[in-house]
Amino acid sequence: MGAYLVPEQLQLDAPELRPFWRQVDALDVPVVVHPSTLPQEWAMLRDYDLTRSVGRAYNVTVAVVRVLMSGLLDELPHLRFVMPHLGGTFYALVDRYLASYFDFGTAEAERERERLRKARERLYFDTAPPHWPVASLRHARRPSRPPGCFH
């Protein structure tokens, strides 16, 4: 069964979607996500097929980071997501995302890293499209990350 679910401007962690996510959690089924090809910044991406190559990676990355940071996966223990395209740029830039959000070395940051590590275990990443370079697949399999964050 499949369905288009989220209007263009509504993020996966939007409060309006919490009742739906609670129902999905109760069903204990995974959700396959495919964010729109067109990010809000689409005007900059019109040329060179950037809406598909850059725009899609951007939207997938934003979806992954928002789901992790929001606490949605902490709140709903059976909710699982399958994210497309190796998570966009998530694995390539995870250190940067977290470094801008946390004050590393504090007890609070350590607790937050553990929370994110547990939440990350319920995210799955597909390898579509089928032409990923081997280096990208290796990077996603063993991403660079701050110690204790996502291992």
Side-chain angles (χ1 to χ4, degrees):
M1 174 171 65
Y4 287 95
L5 163 71
V6 182
E8 293 296 318
Q9 302 305 314
L10 194 58
Q11 299 295 324
L12 294 174
D13 61 325
E16 302 92 314
L17 291 176
R18 284 303 208 266
F20 174 77
W21 295 134
R22 283 192 287 276
Q23 290 180 349
V24 172
D25 183 67
L27 292 171
D28 195 17
V29 295
V31 176
V32 177
V33 174
H34 200 287
S36 166
T37 301
L38 297 175
Q40 291 177 338
E41 298 81 5
W42 72 271
M44 295 186 306
L45 304 174
R46 281 187 281 197
D47 300 321
Y48 316 112
D49 197 27
L50 294 177
T51 53
R52 202 164 71 137
S53 61
V54 175
R56 192 170 281 164
Y58 169 82
N59 280 347
V60 173
T61 302
V62 170
V64 172
V65 174
R66 289 188 69 97
V67 164
L68 280 174
M69 297 300 207
S70 70
L72 182 62
L73 295 170
D74 306 320
E75 177 185 328
L76 302 169
H78 302 290
L79 189 58
R80 299 178 313 276
F81 288 96
V82 179
M83 298 295 192
H85 308 289
L86 293 180
T89 64
F90 176 70
Y91 281 112
L93 298 173
V94 65
D95 294 350
R96 181 180 177 102
Y97 303 140
L98 297 180
S100 66
Y101 190 72
F102 298 116
D103 182 12
F104 288 112
T106 67
E108 181 181 345
E110 295 303 316
R111 284 190 299 275
E112 187 65 4
R113 276 193 239 165
E114 180 60 18
R115 181 187 76 77
L116 292 172
R117 185 195 62 74
K118 286 180 182 177
R120 163 52 187 90
E121 291 173 359
R122 297 202 337 261
L123 293 179
Y124 301 87
F125 301 90
D126 80 10
T127 56
H131 54 270
W132 289 99
V134 172
S136 294
L137 294 170
R138 283 188 184 135
H139 189 69
R141 186 169 174 259
R142 283 183 245 142
S144 168
R145 57 195 168 236
C149 184
F150 286 125
H151 56 80

